[in-house]
Amino acid sequence: MRLAAAMLCLAAVSGCVDTVFESLPGKHISPCDPRFVGTWRLLNQEKDRKADENLFLVVDPGCKTLHLFENGKDDTDTDAKTHLAFASVGAKSILTVKFDDEQSHTDGVDWSNGYHYFLYDMRNGEIRLRPTDDAAVAHFIIDGKLQGRTEKISKMPGGRRSGDGMMLHSYVAGDSEAMAKAVELRGVFAATPYFTLKPASDAEISASAKPLPTSK
């Protein structure tokens, strides 16, 4: 699930930090932005690029199918559970990512079902993705500028140091109109890109495959 964690940004799958929005933002929603169609190398801007050099994303025509590759292997489980949509809110282009939720929620309230937003732009043939600023969104909720719920855990029971098990989770609640207003708030997105999609080729994906172990 490393690729899924990457797309969720800041290791949301592993339970560190994440921001989820209840609805798609605004009325101008498209199932595809043709600029995303193609083969891409997924680079994490805040880590050593060598650690992510074997992560690839392939988007089929019409954005109908998404393929996530690590070390040359197509992560089909994640592919099937990942859904993209593209929104235009004012001058902003927003990529939304939603993952199928396999958990059952008996209380009727699901604080995890929603969308992860990325502000994106294209420069020099590369697509730069800026995630939401999780800390800023949490403050917006606390200050009443956004509706929803935020939770911060700075220390788990039995933790030896402050920050052990640090978790920050925010859920922005509302309809599409409320979400459009949310993404227009200054500071809701990170100031710098977190991911960059760099054009790649099928040959690069094949070359990234780990060799099969040889029998002695």
Side-chain angles (χ1 to χ4, degrees):
M1 293 297 289
R2 182 182 173 200
L3 283 162
M7 291 299 292
L8 280 173
C9 179
L10 299 178
V13 168
S14 63
C16 296
V17 293
D18 71 317
T19 297
V20 178
F21 296 82
E22 182 177 6
S23 310
L24 290 169
K27 299 179 180 179
H28 303 289
I29 308 296
S30 173
C32 188
D33 182 337
R35 294 178 293 178
F36 273 76
V37 174
T39 301
W40 308 91
R41 187 185 294 271
L42 180 62
L43 297 173
N44 185 329
Q45 297 296 94
E46 294 190 1
K47 295 181 180 179
D48 181 358
R49 285 196 172 200
K50 291 184 179 180
D52 289 333
E53 63 183 2
N54 292 328
L55 299 180
F56 294 89
L57 173 68
V58 178
V59 182
D60 289 343
C63 303
K64 294 181 178 180
T65 308
L66 175 73
H67 301 277
L68 297 167
F69 289 87
E70 182 174 10
N71 297 321
K73 184 179 179 181
D74 189 352
D75 186 354
T76 55
D77 287 342
T78 301
D79 296 344
K81 299 174 183 177
T82 306
H83 309 282
L84 306 183
F86 301 84
S88 177
V89 181
K92 294 182 177 180
S93 297
I94 312 295
L95 166 66
T96 73
V97 182
K98 185 174 184 179
F99 290 85
D100 291 338
D101 188 0
E102 296 179 345
Q103 301 178 6
S104 60
H105 303 273
T106 57
D107 59 3
V109 178
D110 184 354
W111 293 100
S112 63
N113 185 30
Y115 303 84
H116 300 265
Y117 290 175
F118 296 85
L119 180 67
Y120 69 90
D121 64 90
M122 178 169 280
R123 182 172 297 181
N124 299 323
E126 298 181 346
I127 299 176
R128 304 183 307 171
L129 300 168
R130 288 164 51 188
T132 51
D133 185 324
D134 301 288
V137 171
H139 282 292
F140 287 145
I141 293 174
I142 292 171
D143 294 341
K145 293 181 180 180
L146 292 175
Q147 299 299 307
R149 162 181 167 171
T150 188
E151 177 184 32
K152 177 181 178 180
I153 300 174
S154 61
K155 188 173 183 179
M156 301 294 288
R160 296 182 179 181
R161 302 183 306 275
S162 177
D164 284 347
M166 171 66 78
M167 292 187 290
L168 177 62
H169 301 289
S170 295
Y171 189 92
V172 183
D175 58 15
S176 60
E177 182 178 355
M179 298 302 99
K181 292 180 180 179
V183 300
E184 291 283 32
L185 282 174
R186 185 173 182 178
V188 75
F189 289 101
T192 57
Y194 189 80
F195 293 111
T196 295
L197 299 180
K198 182 178 180 178
S201 66
D202 292 342
E204 289 177 86
I205 296 178
S206 298
S208 71
K210 288 185 176 180
L212 295 174
T214 57
S215 57
K216 296 182 179 180

